[in-house]
């Protein structure tokens, strides 16, 4: 049991370390040596390999014990809300997001943030963080603290590293954009997601339905109506 947990800790540590190191300290010399496309290809391949290793280690790690009794209606309601918000944020992050790889940021300093970018300039990262937080809330086991705690750290610190990289690459364009859209989500701007609140419904229902078949645990609305999921 200890060996299995240490395997997960080591795998997650390697995934986190790879992102921290390759996102900033050694990025410039590697890009110079390999080219932008070569670097992105190697970076993506390493990330995929390490993520698969993490998932294998997670599957083998013990599910118990849990730190608190989380399978309660209030916990499931909060987790369901978090995952629904995360789904809406993620879907919105795929549309005209200047933070995405290869996005054109020319003229970004003159753009007024709209939609999800009135909430945060890192909607994809915070979607990952919220989805991970929901899993910790309803399944507070050591293996989930390692996996999803690591994902929360990667998402939030990764958002910071993205700002650092974008500032270095694009200077005034990204710096000006950053002054107009917040880093931390502004919940008072939730209405800015607009139609994405509706667009997120079907994917959220599908993902939470699949959760029963992939993890053998009902999630979202299916937790309250498990017979409907079957």
């Amino acid at each position: 049991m200890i060996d299995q947990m240490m395997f997960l800790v080591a795998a997650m540590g390697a995934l986190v370390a790879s992102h921290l190191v390759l996102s900033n300290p050694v990025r410039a010399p590697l890009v110079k040596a390999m080219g932008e496309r070569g670097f992105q290809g190697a970076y993506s391949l390493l990330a995929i390999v390490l993520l698969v290793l993490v998932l294998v280690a997670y599957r083998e790690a013990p599910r118990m014990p849990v730190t608190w009794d989380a399978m309660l209606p209030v916990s499931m309601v909060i987790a369901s809300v978090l995952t629904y918000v995360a789904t809406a944020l993620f879907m919105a992050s795929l549309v005209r997001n200047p933070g995405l790889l290869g996005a054109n940021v020319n003229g970004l300093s003159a753009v007024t943030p709209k939609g999800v970018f009135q909430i945060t300039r890192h909607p994809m990262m915070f979607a990952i963080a919220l989805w991970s937080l929901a899993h910790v809330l309803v399944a507070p086991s050591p293996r989930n603290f390692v996996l999803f705690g690591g994902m929360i750290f990667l998402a939030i610190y990764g958002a910071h590293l993205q700002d650092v990289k974008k500032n270095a690459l694009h200077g005034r364009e990204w710096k000006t954009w950053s002054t107009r859209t917040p880093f931390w989500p502004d919940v008072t701007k939730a209405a800015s997601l607009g139609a994405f609140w509706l667009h997120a419904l079907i994917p959220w229902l599908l993902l939470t339905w699949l959760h029963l078949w992939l993890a053998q645990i009902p999630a979202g609305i299916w937790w309250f109506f498990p017979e409907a999921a079957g």
Side-chain angles (χ1 to χ4, degrees):
M1 183 179 296
I2 294 177
D3 289 343
Q4 292 169 331
M5 278 303 302
M6 290 305 297
F7 179 29
L8 176 58
V9 170
M12 194 68 210
L15 180 64
V16 171
S18 69
H19 278 72
L20 298 186
V21 173
L22 294 177
S23 294
N24 196 25
V26 301
R27 186 182 190 279
L30 286 178
V31 168
K32 184 176 181 180
M34 305 170 64
E36 184 67 37
R37 289 188 177 181
F39 172 77
Q40 291 296 342
Y43 190 0
S44 299
L45 179 60
L46 178 62
I48 291 171
V49 170
L50 290 176
L51 181 58
V52 169
L53 191 64
V54 167
L55 294 177
V56 170
Y58 177 78
R59 185 185 63 184
E60 298 300 322
R63 294 175 177 264
M64 303 294 282
V66 293
T67 305
W68 62 82
D69 182 8
M71 297 301 288
L72 300 171
V74 64
S75 299
M76 295 306 300
V77 168
I78 294 173
S80 297
V81 170
L82 289 176
T83 54
Y84 188 76
V85 172
T87 305
L89 284 175
F90 186 84
M91 293 185 67
S93 76
L94 300 176
V95 180
R96 293 188 292 276
N97 185 350
L100 294 178
L101 182 64
N104 183 6
V105 300
N106 292 331
L108 186 62
S109 59
V111 174
T112 299
K114 297 179 180 179
V116 70
F117 302 107
Q118 292 182 284
I119 300 174
T120 173
R121 62 181 176 273
H122 297 291
M124 184 177 291
M125 297 298 197
F126 280 101
I128 294 170
L130 289 177
W131 196 277
S132 299
L133 178 61
H135 282 78
V136 172
L137 178 63
V138 298
S141 65
R143 72 172 193 160
N144 282 336
F145 288 138
V146 174
L147 175 62
F148 294 111
M151 294 303 295
I152 291 170
F153 175 80
L154 269 180
I156 297 176
Y157 194 65
H160 165 70
L161 290 179
Q162 185 182 80
D163 279 340
V164 172
K165 180 179 72 175
K166 294 289 187 179
N167 282 333
L169 292 175
H170 306 294
R172 175 176 171 272
E173 297 287 6
W174 192 264
K175 290 178 181 178
T176 303
W177 169 256
S178 297
T179 65
R180 296 173 177 169
T181 170
F183 179 91
W184 297 101
D186 182 354
V187 296
T188 67
K189 303 291 186 180
S192 300
L193 274 171
F196 283 104
W197 286 120
L198 181 60
H199 296 333
L201 180 60
I202 299 302
W204 178 75
L205 288 172
L206 178 60
L207 288 170
T208 50
W209 177 78
L210 285 173
H211 194 278
L212 175 62
W213 303 104
L214 296 176
Q216 288 77 53
I217 300 173
I221 193 173
W222 311 114
W223 189 87
F224 299 96
F225 305 102
E227 65 282 354

